[in-house]
Amino acid sequence: MRHLSLTLLASALLCTASASWGQARKPVAPPASAASASASQAESRTELEIDPSAPYIQAAMKKGRATAGEVLKVGATGDEKRYENVAVRVLVKEGKLQEFIWLQPFEKTDKGYVGYVATVPVTLKRMQVRMSYTFQPDDIVDWMYTDKLKKTMHGQFITCAQVKKHAPQDAPVLKKRYGLDCSR
């Protein structure tokens, strides 16, 4: 159970670790040596499976979709003094394969939005870190941002659902350490 808890905490902080590249607006091709390193990282990394057919995950995705306008508004402000770790999570499908992918940063375009892959894809072969991905607001299944002034993390509905289902003892840790409130 402890392994699960650590994985959930890592998920909650996904974008915090990648904040330094959050200012980049264009994808950067990784060097050839980094591609093999990313592949080995993905293979050695233990992922917590997210079953989109599970009722508690479906409920979390419903909350994410219903409130996605909040993160889109925050992202549109560009207020880096107040907000950080502004990201959206989409469910990407590749044939029969599917994976939840975090996109950060993202911006509005004439075709919807474009975001950049912020997590190392494990299942999907065509996706790479920093690759651009076009999405619509309806594609968002989860989102997050941190309000620096209030020291609170918003969104993370899937993580909250996982915590409530599998590791409720970690909810106070998430709230205290990261300001994540799963009561919403």
Side-chain angles (χ1 to χ4, degrees):
M1 185 56 78
R2 190 68 188 143
H3 174 71
L4 174 66
S5 300
L6 293 174
T7 304
L8 290 171
L9 290 174
S11 174
L13 284 181
L14 153 78
C15 296
T16 304
S18 63
S20 63
W21 95 271
Q23 297 173 5
R25 292 286 180 207
K26 296 181 182 176
V28 177
S33 60
S36 61
S38 293
S40 64
Q41 275 181 332
E43 289 173 12
S44 65
R45 190 172 74 164
T46 303
E47 286 294 314
L48 178 64
E49 288 295 319
I50 300 172
D51 178 4
S53 67
Y56 69 100
I57 296 297
Q58 288 179 349
M61 292 188 323
K62 186 177 180 180
K63 281 184 192 175
R65 283 187 186 104
T67 58
E70 181 177 335
V71 75
L72 295 175
K73 286 178 187 174
V74 166
T77 69
D79 187 350
E80 294 179 8
K81 291 182 180 180
R82 175 147 189 200
Y83 304 111
E84 65 183 352
N85 309 321
V86 182
V88 297
R89 186 184 256 180
V90 295
L91 180 59
V92 180
K93 297 179 180 181
E94 185 178 295
K96 292 183 180 181
L97 302 175
Q98 59 186 14
E99 187 168 352
F100 289 92
I101 300 290
W102 282 104
L103 304 173
Q104 178 197 32
F106 62 87
E107 59 193 357
K108 188 163 180 39
T109 68
D110 58 344
K111 295 181 181 180
Y113 290 83
V114 65
Y116 299 94
V117 177
T119 49
V120 178
V122 175
T123 306
L124 303 179
K125 303 301 179 206
R126 69 180 170 100
M127 304 291 286
Q128 296 178 18
V129 172
R130 295 187 181 176
M131 178 178 139
S132 65
Y133 184 79
T134 301
F135 67 96
Q136 300 300 318
D138 290 344
D139 297 330
I140 299 170
V141 297
D142 201 358
W143 52 267
M144 72 165 289
Y145 68 87
T146 302
D147 184 324
K148 292 183 195 179
L149 299 179
K150 295 181 180 179
K151 298 182 180 175
T152 55
M153 183 183 293
H154 299 269
Q156 286 281 6
F157 300 107
I158 292 174
T159 299
C160 287
Q162 290 171 315
V163 168
K164 287 177 183 177
K165 176 80 173 167
H166 299 291
Q169 72 278 5
D170 286 345
V173 174
L174 287 171
K175 184 169 177 100
K176 182 178 179 184
R177 199 177 282 175
Y178 309 115
L180 180 61
D181 182 5
C182 291
S183 64
R184 186 172 175 183

